[in-house]
Amino acid sequence: MTKETLRQYLVAIIITALISGGISYYLFIRNGAFIPSIANKGLANASLVLLGIVLLIGPLSRLYNRFDSWVNYRKELGILAFVTGAVHVYLSMFVLARRGPFGLYQSRPLVAYSGLLGLVIMAYLFIISFEKIKQKIGTVKWWKMQYWGARIAALAVLFHMTVFKYPEWGKWLAGDAGKLALPNLPPASLLVALFSAFVLLVRTSELFGAKAAKFLTPVWLGAAIITFVLLFNL
């Protein structure tokens, strides 16, 4: 492993720590107390954010020169998205599970299996990320696997979170926040879903050409920021 590769992993690890730590801290101050599930939720949300960043780097680098250097970090960020997702699944199934490892799979199979699908795809992408395996597969086929795999994994994880957390979002938006220390703060998963929607809109914009995407990306960013501010002022 070269010094540049080590540096890239170090940067990716720092980004991952800041995202997962920041989300966990947000959940802590929102709840008013630290409970074991907070760290687990922080990892789950961080995994989706990292996947979103990986998918966002491509179009941003094509549209704006200032993001060109970030292309070098997609592999490392993708691997760390898998790692945080894998730790989340392990904690959810074995450490924090109230009804055993397969309780959620039995009670809410759509939620459980969609999340597992995303993790399995990320695990496969991690395995084929090694250079020797990449050479055996072939560069063209390898890129297609990475291209579609990352997108399907992100959609599966986003679906998993949305179906799982939608009832909580509905209650909070209706004014029922439960016994929270700071009930005015929106659910962290809702904010992550907002970021995911921004990523989807940016990627969809590229279908209409580079010129349209370059015009629409700031529009989507402005809409996301306005929505973000409104959520904190409900």
Side-chain angles (χ1 to χ4, degrees), residues 65-83:
N65 293 334
R66 71 191 67 177
F67 293 100
D68 286 351
S69 60
W70 282 96
V71 173
N72 299 324
Y73 297 94
R74 285 190 297 184
K75 174 184 174 180
E76 291 78 11
L77 290 172
I79 289 174
L80 287 169
F82 162 65
V83 172

Side-chain angles (χ1 to χ4, degrees), residues 203-217:
R203 295 225 53 118
T204 303
S205 298
E206 280 201 302
L207 298 175
F208 302 99
K211 187 175 180 180
K214 198 166 186 177
F215 170 77
L216 288 171
T217 296

Side-chain angles (χ1 to χ4, degrees), residues 2 4-5 10 12 16 27 34 40 53 57 78 110 120 126-127 136 145 155 165 181 214 221 227 231 234:
T2 65
E4 178 59 22
T5 302
L10 179 60
T16 302
L27 291 168
F34 185 83
N40 190 31
I53 293 174
I57 287 174
L110 190 62
V120 169
F126 170 69
I127 292 171
K136 289 182 179 179
M145 290 178 175
L155 288 174
K165 291 295 184 178
K214 198 166 186 177
L221 178 60
T227 305
L231 286 174
L234 289 179

Side-chain angles (χ1 to χ4, degrees), residues 144-212:
K144 286 183 179 179
M145 290 178 175
Q146 292 287 338
Y147 180 92
W148 289 109
R151 284 151 183 77
I152 296 171
L155 288 174
V157 175
L158 178 59
F159 180 83
H160 161 77
M161 186 190 72
T162 301
V163 176
F164 191 40
K165 291 295 184 178
Y166 182 79
E168 178 187 344
W169 300 346
K171 288 182 179 179
W172 183 82
L173 291 170
D176 180 12
K179 298 180 180 179
L180 295 172
L182 296 174
N184 60 305
L185 296 182
S189 56
L190 182 56
L191 300 178
V192 172
L194 176 62
F195 170 71
S196 301
F198 168 69
V199 175
L200 285 173
L201 287 170
V202 171
R203 295 225 53 118
T204 303
S205 298
E206 280 201 302
L207 298 175
F208 302 99
K211 187 175 180 180

Side-chain angles (χ1 to χ4, degrees), residues 4-132:
E4 178 59 22
T5 302
L6 286 172
R7 189 187 68 82
Q8 289 171 1
Y9 270 108
L10 179 60
V11 172
I13 289 171
I14 291 173
I15 292 173
T16 302
L18 289 173
I19 292 172
S20 59
I23 294 173
S24 297
Y25 180 71
Y26 178 87
L27 291 168
F28 166 68
I29 62 174
R30 185 172 185 261
N31 283 271
F34 185 83
I35 53 178
S37 63
I38 283 180
N40 190 31
K41 291 177 181 177
L43 290 170
N45 284 292
S47 181
L48 184 54
V49 171
L50 290 170
L51 278 173
I53 293 174
V54 170
L55 293 176
L56 196 57
I57 287 174
L60 290 182
S61 66
R62 289 187 288 271
L63 298 173
Y64 308 101
N65 293 334
R66 71 191 67 177
F67 293 100
D68 286 351
S69 60
W70 282 96
V71 173
N72 299 324
Y73 297 94
R74 285 190 297 184
K75 174 184 174 180
E76 291 78 11
L77 290 172
I79 289 174
L80 287 169
F82 162 65
V83 172
T84 52
V87 175
H88 161 66
V89 170
Y90 170 76
L91 292 175
S92 298
M93 289 184 64
F94 301 102
V95 179
L96 301 174
R98 297 178 180 177
R99 292 168 293 176
F102 302 102
L104 185 63
Y105 293 88
Q106 295 171 347
S107 62
R108 303 186 66 180
L110 190 62
V111 170
Y113 284 106
S114 58
L116 184 62
L117 172 63
L119 181 66
V120 169
I121 293 173
M122 284 193 287
Y124 178 74
L125 295 179
F126 170 69
I127 292 171
I128 68 172
S129 68
F130 294 96
E131 191 62 31
K132 290 184 179 180

Side-chain angles (χ1 to χ4, degrees), residues 212-230:
K214 198 166 186 177
F215 170 77
L216 288 171
T217 296
V219 175
W220 304 140
L221 178 60
I225 292 173
I226 291 172
T227 305
F228 181 86
V229 173
L230 289 175

